[in-house]
Amino acid sequence: MSFFSFTAAPSTTVTYNPNTVSGGPFPSNILTTPDRTTATGLRVNLALQDEGFCDPGSHSAVCSNTELLNRLDGFSVNPRVMVCFSGPVNLATLSAGLQIIPVGNLGAPVPLNQITYDPGSNCAYGKPDNVLQQRTQYFLAVTDALKDTNGSSVTDDGGFRKCLGNADAYCVAVQAAKPTVVAHLNGAALVSGSLFTTLSATAWLESVRVAVDALPPATLPAGFPYLFKLSDLQSLTWKPDNAGFASQDIPLPALSGVDKVAFGLFLSPNYLNTSGPAAGTITTTGTQPVSIPGLLKGLTFGFLPVSYHVFLPAGTPPAGGWPVAIYGHGLSDNQFGAPTYIAGTLASQGIATVAMEITGHGFGPKGTVQVKSKFGFTFTESTPGRGIQLAAGQPIGPQDGCIVPGAIAIRDCGRQTAIDLFALVNTIRQTAGLGLGLNPQRISYVGQSFGSIYGSLFHAVEPAVKVAVLNAGGGTSVDIARLAIVGRPLSTEYLASISPALLNVATGQAPPEAYFRDAFNDAYPFRDQAPSNITVAGALQLQAAFEAADWLGMIGDPLAFAPHFQTQPLVGVPAKATLFQYGYGDLEVPNPTESALVRAAGEKKNAWFFRTDAAVGYGHPELLGITTGTVPEFPILPHRVLSNPTIFNYPAETSIAIAEQRQVADFFLSGGTSDTNPNSF
């Protein structure tokens, strides 16, 4: 006779409540609504009453910014997914049991990375191992490879099974997707999941570029440039439209190899709000084709003058004209800063350099360059800044209108600057090289730091520029702000604007092991770490706040555009040649974000990594003490090694900078086919 019997513990179930962001699985197309004005036919539709605020007691999938998110036509191409359970699960099985599968046989399943687990809510979170395709349906699949802590496979709580028999539009779409999903599971059983559509990252900017290209020739040029021979000049001085900032001399000795300099203006269509609470942002609309703002019967209302200058090589231009490199300068710099310190190297290789004033930079509209000749003449050229008046009666600062408060941050500054670059390229082409002997068929682009961020947008969308060098660029912009020493104050300001309670580290209370000893600890894992528990109080809400900003930023983030350089070219745009340059220990665009950009582009073979530690170890400790005065407590290398005002002050820095510059020149002259080893220079 048996007196005892064994009863197996019930297995843990997968919570199925996808019509809320707190239940999951998330993301889900249940949280969208049909919209014929968008490229996906959908628009995000989160509940405002539930998702408008964020504090440590709120849910942890989406945090604030809901009204802005509801203008988008899908979910992020770099989403943080969430799956919740009725009880604890085995962390070691999360990687095998969760994956993202493209619907319609559009590629291999995408595994998850950066997986974390919250023991309090029994919810798991993760990021896709690589950037997802835009405008694509995906299925977040939970399989029986995921085990609970008793070793049993997780099971459906009944909700997913019920959806497979329902006739509503979402469940019908799930039923249609199921065969494709199951075919990719390699024998594992599908337990639960959600169907979601990624947003259109590039559609709006593509539409603007088409509109710019369609402008009549008389629309874009704003006057022919004024040309000066450098050997005839005594000085060049930029006088910004802000009495609080000193004039800036353009050092003529740094321009060895340059023969002439020219100053001019072109007109660019402006989509950026320049006044009111929305100043510095672009009003998000549907993703269908857009028109030029204010263009009516040939009038140019809605256009702004953009200042540029050109450094021309010595000698006779080759057939077709000088190859030309557009230089995209960094955040808080200006057209007369970093571009000056590469122009000589490019000119010595027969390449002209063009630099323009980017959105939100160059101070106010009354800036000028004073040109003094050796013959006693003085010329004053208009070089209007692109800054925005943020406060009545106050002078325009060096980046006013580029970094806006809240989640948008630099997104729309980058998008408008990409539009300005479209207009610059079109102007060069329509004026036969600006009348300066430039070759409209040989335009390349080099961007440094922020110049690589907005340059990524430009590079992916502009068909006429087939070769680019992206130096010290990274993504996402949110990750840069989280991980960069100089970006942390912006992150703190953003979090505090949502709720001061999000700042989960009291003053002076950072634990000894903390890398950043400031106001918050988001506990994000780095790539390729094993799944782990989240133990930091408030970290989930911090992550949710950052993920909302990351999602909003995808329509202007380099990570969303990088796949279209080479592996997924946009319609009408050729595959591009791209060279990446970055360096060990970058404090301004940290290495994890730089490698993410290279990985998103799928071009590791064209990425060069400057070993700052090796250069210092070879007897050059002075490299760690180089500053420009803007961030004196931090070394600026390797972030600004390409073309920094100090590169001719230290022989070791000079040799490194010239090597990178020569690599840029060789890459351009070869049409992107020669990836010269910079150690050979």
Side-chain angles (χ1 to χ4, degrees), residues 195-259:
L195 184 71
F196 67 96
T197 302
T198 53
L199 54 72
S200 303
T202 65
W204 185 84
L205 206 54
E206 288 179 86
S207 182
V208 175
R209 196 267 302 163
V210 170
V212 170
D213 284 354
L215 289 170
T219 306
L220 290 169
F224 287 101
Y226 292 90
L227 183 64
F228 302 92
K229 191 171 179 62
L230 227 59
S231 60
D232 292 340
L233 301 184
Q234 177 182 326
S235 65
L236 287 171
T237 305
W238 176 50
K239 297 181 177 295
D241 181 12
N242 185 319
F245 286 80
S247 299
Q248 178 177 317
D249 286 329
I250 302 168
L252 299 181
L255 295 169
S256 175
V258 174
D259 183 43

Side-chain angles (χ1 to χ4, degrees), residues 625-634 636 640 644 646:
I626 300 173
T627 69
T628 60
T630 53
V631 281
E633 66 272 37
F634 302 123
I636 61 172
R640 310 187 198 185
N644 191 56
T646 64

